[in-house]
Amino acid sequence: SLKDTASWPQSFGFGRLASSHDIDTLDIDIRPDGKGLPYGSGTVSQGKAIYAAKCALCHGKTGTEGPFNPLVTKTDTASSSKEPGKEKTIGNYWPYATTLYDYINRAMPFNTPGSLTPDEVYSLTAFLLHANNIVDSSAVMNAQTLPQVNMPARALFVPDDRSGGTEIK
Amino acid sequence: SLKDTASWPQSFGFGRLASSHDIDTLDIDIRPDGKGLPYGSGTVSQGKAIYAAKCALCHGKTGTEGPFNPLVTKTDTASSSKEPGKEKTIGNYWPYATTLYDYINRAMPFNTPGSLTPDEVYSLTAFLLHANNIVDSSAVMNAQTLPQVNMPARALFVPDDRSGGTEIK
Amino acid sequence: VLVQTSFGKVMQRAVTEKETATSDPTKKLGPLPGEVGTRSPFEKLQKKPSDTSSRTPLQDLYGTLTPSDLHYERHHGGVPAIDPEKYELLIHGMVKKPMVFKLRDLKQFPSVSRIMFLECSGNYRGNKEELSPQEICGLTSQSEWTGVMLSTLFREVGVDPRATWFLAEGSDAAVMTRSIPLQKGWEDTMLAYAQNGEAIRPEQGYPARLVLPGWEGNTCVKWIRRIEISDQPFMTREETSKYTEAIGGGKIRQFSFVMDARSIITYPAYPNPVEKGWIELRGIAWSGRGRIVRVEISTNDGRSWSAAELQGPVLDKAHTGFRYLWHWNGDETAIMSRAVDETGYVQPTLKQLSDARGGNTGGYHFNPVTAWIIKRDGRVLFRPEAKK
Amino acid sequence: VLVQTSFGKVMQRAVTEKETATSDPTKKLGPLPGEVGTRSPFEKLQKKPSDTSSRTPLQDLYGTLTPSDLHYERHHGGVPAIDPEKYELLIHGMVKKPMVFKLRDLKQFPSVSRIMFLECSGNYRGNKEELSPQEICGLTSQSEWTGVMLSTLFREVGVDPRATWFLAEGSDAAVMTRSIPLQKGWEDTMLAYAQNGEAIRPEQGYPARLVLPGWEGNTCVKWIRRIEISDQPFMTREETSKYTEAIGGGKIRQFSFVMDARSIITYPAYPNPVEKGWIELRGIAWSGRGRIVRVEISTNDGRSWSAAELQGPVLDKAHTGFRYLWHWNGDETAIMSRAVDETGYVQPTLKQLSDARGGNTGGYHFNPVTAWIIKRDGRVLFRPEAKK
Ligand code: HEC
Ligand code: HEC
Ligand SMILES: [Ca+2]
Ligand SMILES: [Ca+2]
Ligand SMILES: [Ca+2]
Ligand SMILES: [Ca+2]
Ligand SMILES: [Ca+2]
Ligand SMILES: [Ca+2]
Ligand SMILES: [Co+2]
Ligand SMILES: [Co+2]
């Protein structure tokens, strides 16, 4: 540490204890194990309708046309692992399904973020997973089912092993 | 020096030689020995008239009233050496008469600097030296006479002898 | 413009109608001391924004500090407008005391200042000859950052010894989040509230952000509102879909935090031409792993290399100025620089990087040696490199 | 404000009329990356100009660098407007080759960058309790300066070995001039054209000025147009009528160039009150004679002193940050700091200075220890000191 704390008090006493209300208001993250997922649920067909209304303008009718980030894999998922990075979509590049809930909930729609209900986010998640051939059309997403979804790209991710020195990685 | 010049060329070749025109245009400074004083001259009474027209607004009718820097010593010059710094005027604080020419020429009038002719500056210098009891009312200032003027404050000035360490000076 | 004081008023009265309309500045009284300084209207400095980022004009800068208003920008939901009186930071999760800190609380803790670079890990472009340093790698900037060490706050809330990661969350429209190994938080992460002497600028995270020395800019979460201590990473979108890179063999590298050593010659550089004769090559070098120990220069397209002079003080994880005096005889050549850091890492060529990553040249952490072609007519052009 | 690109246009189309008018920044897309950064509208930083100078708000700053637009100002004919294309520097007098350098010529020579303070030698006020650090000694600021060493130009023009002084002349409306011992020119004087990464600001001498490390600001001639090499000083108005000080015995000290060591606690400081409990005292210390080696703090009105922590890197002739952790029990007391530099000089009290100068307390080079009274209600007031 950059600080010599020998002469420091146990506590400086600045700031205040957080109440559970303080925490609950902000604690919106979703972990891969599903921790943080709210009550609620959504289906592929519900998601399809919401997508058309609130997302298609920016991500394309089927999620491949843009103008912004493509969300749906054009090729079949198996072939994607040959050249990861070519087309970085949910189907071939996203390692965890929970990330989809977390991200849509916190950041989308880009221009009106934070405006979706849990049911809407579950539905959009179900729709996008289905559009990427990950779940079938009857899938229902909720706090129990979402963390169970296996993502094709999961196995591709490896931790960083660079550590300086003469080797280029 | 902060630079190791061992590997440097004799000359980098940037810039150009200055012509005498380049130098003459800018070389306006006046040294205590009179070097730099131009051709021309001026009298106390000529200076008085120019002062009233171009300087009195800022330095006061007699050079003591302001609103800006007083130019004329109120007390007699002899007493000023008792407490230099109390009243810092030409009469009790300026060590060289050439400075007066140099400064008026380069910086005054404050709002239209560089607008005076050599004769005007010689005249203003004569007038202000007289107003400070340094030359008499018949004095004529020119490149020969001005460097000869003895200023009462000259003897008060000593070089800096601070040099760090424990002594406070 | 004269100030509205008695001084100003007398001046105004004294300014006659025949005020000299000369271009000689010695003949015209200028504006008196002001409240806030200005930039010369002759200096047009611009970050050249794209939709997603704006870049520091490295070729137009001197020394090693970046003027705060020219600091690069990369954000995922625009720049939020935050009232510092309402600002709060929540720290919770695996802690003894979950706590909320107002800005004034953060400023009361023991503070630290440090000059460091920030760099976006997506800091590379190289597709054509007409590219300036700003366009090639302008997503890096340097500031003196001031704040409280995150370890000081960890100590205050009592972090659980079993914790291993923390989540940092911004209060921008993307509520941008990253998972960070707790160790980095204990080691040297700063919760910064000031930049180059003043409050952090809105574009850089006002009123408070993380600064993780040497780590990719995206981890240095801006407008930070929440830190959750945990025993696992959260696998946020930024650390999965983004800020990961293909490294060959079908593998994707994740949590690639540290910015490897890099350098660029910023003079001569496109778009500024040079003349025959003595030229001082100038540039900056930096490494996320420590100090720069050497910058090597080649003026003959990589056939031989010589050490540049480093501008001291050479600081840890900081842009370091270098210079090299060269006499250009007018023949076409290529000049380039490569940085060496205290771990012995030598800035690689594009081919070395591509080879090490199974042919991948896109993505993040791309820090190849940059070559400038000097044409006989003095034009300076970037050399886009073939992969293999 | 969205940018005028296809990105911006799609965004605009997408923003519906029911766009949330919330104060929650996470629910509102902010401005996208811009051309030039901004200062938060909540941060009101001001140099508080008088007729003759404007002062750096030291109590509002963090770390050791001064934002360029808050650098102190002292000029004698206002700020000239100079076209950099027309700018020329003449060096003549006792030289082999009198020469004229355009700005681009100056920039071509070998360059140097250095973080240094500047200080006006008239940097003192102390007449009442309601004075902030800015008002007491805000005529000092710090920047990273970049330029060419004056010695490099001396070498180019071939300075006569018999020369001993040079005149530096500005191109402001006062055509401000100072005589400077040639030795300082050879030693470490910089002809600076850049400040904190960019071109020098107009108020600080655009496009070029002198920076004489550790020497009073007035010698660091701004907007420099001419250097005349000579074998005697020119006795200009600034080095006779001004920038000289009475030192007792009817004597006036002339050519007092070096700024002696000084320090000030900038927190706590008027006008900002404090609360009982732990307080990190913060401030800056500097010396024109070299590095700061120690800053001592007293929290009991000078009865005992303890060493403050110095923020590294401690640079030569540079503002150096210091800190001292103190627990205030709520009783009225006086706190103060004193700087010690590498020559062993200890920042004096006002009485020591006054005694050494025959009772004179006005004028220049006045660097007394500054004491802050902490009132029981938390108000912090400057303590004007009696001379004897
Ligand atoms: C106004 C334009 C716009 C709308 C409407 C919009 N998005 Fe997006 N979306 C974006 C942009 C721009 C990005 C990239 C943001 C970034 O990289 O920071 C993005 C990114 C995403 C991503 C991450 C893609 C990746 O490659 O990482 C997902 C998933 C997503 N959007 C889903 C949605 C959903 C679901 C909706 C509707 C509820 C939606 N978006 C509505 C513009 C939009
Ligand atoms: C519009 C106002 C104004 C006018 C007109 C003016 N001055 Fe000044 N003068 C000033 C100011 C302000 C200063 C102080 C400048 C500074 O300190 O940088 C000054 C300073 C001086 C000084 C130096 C005083 C010192 O204490 O060092 C002299 C000498 C002087 N003026 C002479 C003149 C003469 C002669 C004229 C007329 C030709 C003149 N002034 C016209 C405003 C004016
Ligand atoms: Ca409190
Ligand atoms: Ca959580
Ligand atoms: Ca290694
Ligand atoms: Ca030339
Ligand atoms: Ca001369
Ligand atoms: Ca000594
Ligand atoms: Co990375
Ligand atoms: Co002095």
Side-chain angles (χ1 to χ4, degrees), chain B residues 3 9 11-13 15-16 18 26-27 29 31 93 96 99 106 110 113 155-156 158 160 162 164-165 169, chain D residues 76 98 100 111-112 155-156 169 175 177 226 228 234-235 237 244 251-254 258 260 343 345 357:
Chain B
K3 281 289 196 180
S11 162
F12 285 98
R16 62 172 171 84
L26 298 185
D27 187 10
D29 60 87
R31 277 199 333 200
Y93 205 88
Y96 299 94
T99 309
R106 66 174 66 240
F110 196 74
L156 311 180
V158 294
D160 185 15
R162 296 170 308 143
K169 283 188 165 178
Chain D
H76 291 270
V100 172
S111 64
V112 164
R155 206 175 156 276
E156 192 74 19
E169 182 176 270
V175 207
T177 42
R226 186 169 72 95
E228 179 171 349
F234 293 74
M235 300 299 176
R237 180 255 191 173
T244 52
K251 293 297 174 189
I252 301 166
R253 182 190 285 156
Q254 196 185 17
V258 183
D260 279 323
T343 74
Y345 179 90
R357 297 182 190 171

Side-chain angles (χ1 to χ4, degrees), chain D residues 158-175:
Chain D
V159 166
D160 188 324
R162 288 161 306 176
T164 49
W165 290 79
F166 69 91
L167 183 77
E169 182 176 270
S171 53
D172 55 331
V175 207

Side-chain angles (χ1 to χ4, degrees), chain A residues 82-84 156 158, chain C residues 245-252 354 356-360:
Chain A
K82 282 185 199 140
E83 185 58 309
L156 311 180
V158 295
Chain C
E245 56 270 2
I247 50 169
K251 294 296 176 191
I252 301 166
S354 166
R357 297 181 190 173
N360 283 285

Side-chain angles (χ1 to χ4, degrees), chain C residues 36-47 57 60-61 66-71 201, chain D residues 35-38 67-69 79 82 195-204 206:
Chain C
V36 180
T38 57
R39 179 169 284 156
S40 166
F42 292 99
E43 299 294 321
K44 312 271 185 221
L45 294 168
Q46 238 245 42
K47 293 204 273 188
D60 300 330
L61 300 189
T66 309
S68 298
D69 64 357
L70 298 172
H71 195 289
R201 296 296 184 94
Chain D
E35 297 186 349
V36 180
T38 57
S68 298
D69 64 357
V79 179
I82 298 176
Q195 173 189 14
N196 294 334
E198 60 175 296
I200 290 182
R201 297 296 184 94
E203 297 81 3
Q204 270 64 65
Y206 183 84

Side-chain angles (χ1 to χ4, degrees), chain D residues 52-55 71-76 117-125 136-141 178 209 214-220 222 238 242-243 256-260 262 286 319 363-367:
Chain D
T52 53
S53 67
S54 51
R55 300 171 164 248
H71 195 289
Y72 84 85
E73 291 180 51
R74 176 73 182 102
H75 25 80
H76 291 270
F117 77 89
L118 282 182
E119 183 178 16
C120 176
S121 56
N123 191 20
Y124 179 73
R125 277 191 213 164
I136 296 164
C137 65
L139 293 173
T140 185
S141 311
R178 278 299 293 262
R209 72 175 298 168
W215 283 27
E216 58 188 17
N218 184 255
T219 62
C220 302
K222 295 189 274 192
E238 306 301 329
K242 300 279 146 190
Y243 300 103
S256 50
F257 294 120
V258 183
M259 299 309 299
D260 279 323
R262 190 167 186 179
W286 63 97
H319 283 173
Y364 301 91
H365 296 280
F366 214 71
N367 59 329

Side-chain angles (χ1 to χ4, degrees), chain C residues 80 82-84 103 199-208 223, chain D residues 40 42-43:
Chain C
I82 298 175
D83 180 340
L103 185 59
I200 290 181
R201 296 296 184 94
E203 296 82 5
Q204 269 66 65
Y206 182 85
W223 314 291
Chain D
S40 166
F42 292 99
E43 300 294 322

Side-chain angles (χ1 to χ4, degrees), chain B residues 123-144:
Chain B
S123 303
L124 286 161
T125 302
F127 168 71
L128 287 170
L129 289 171
H130 173 65
N132 279 283
N133 285 324
I134 295 167
V135 300
D136 68 32
S137 61
S138 65
V140 177
M141 286 296 128
N142 58 37
Q144 284 66 50

Side-chain angles (χ1 to χ4, degrees), chain A residues 2-13:
Chain A
L2 290 169
K3 281 291 196 180
D4 173 11
T5 61
S7 64
W8 287 14
Q10 186 75 26
S11 162
F12 285 98

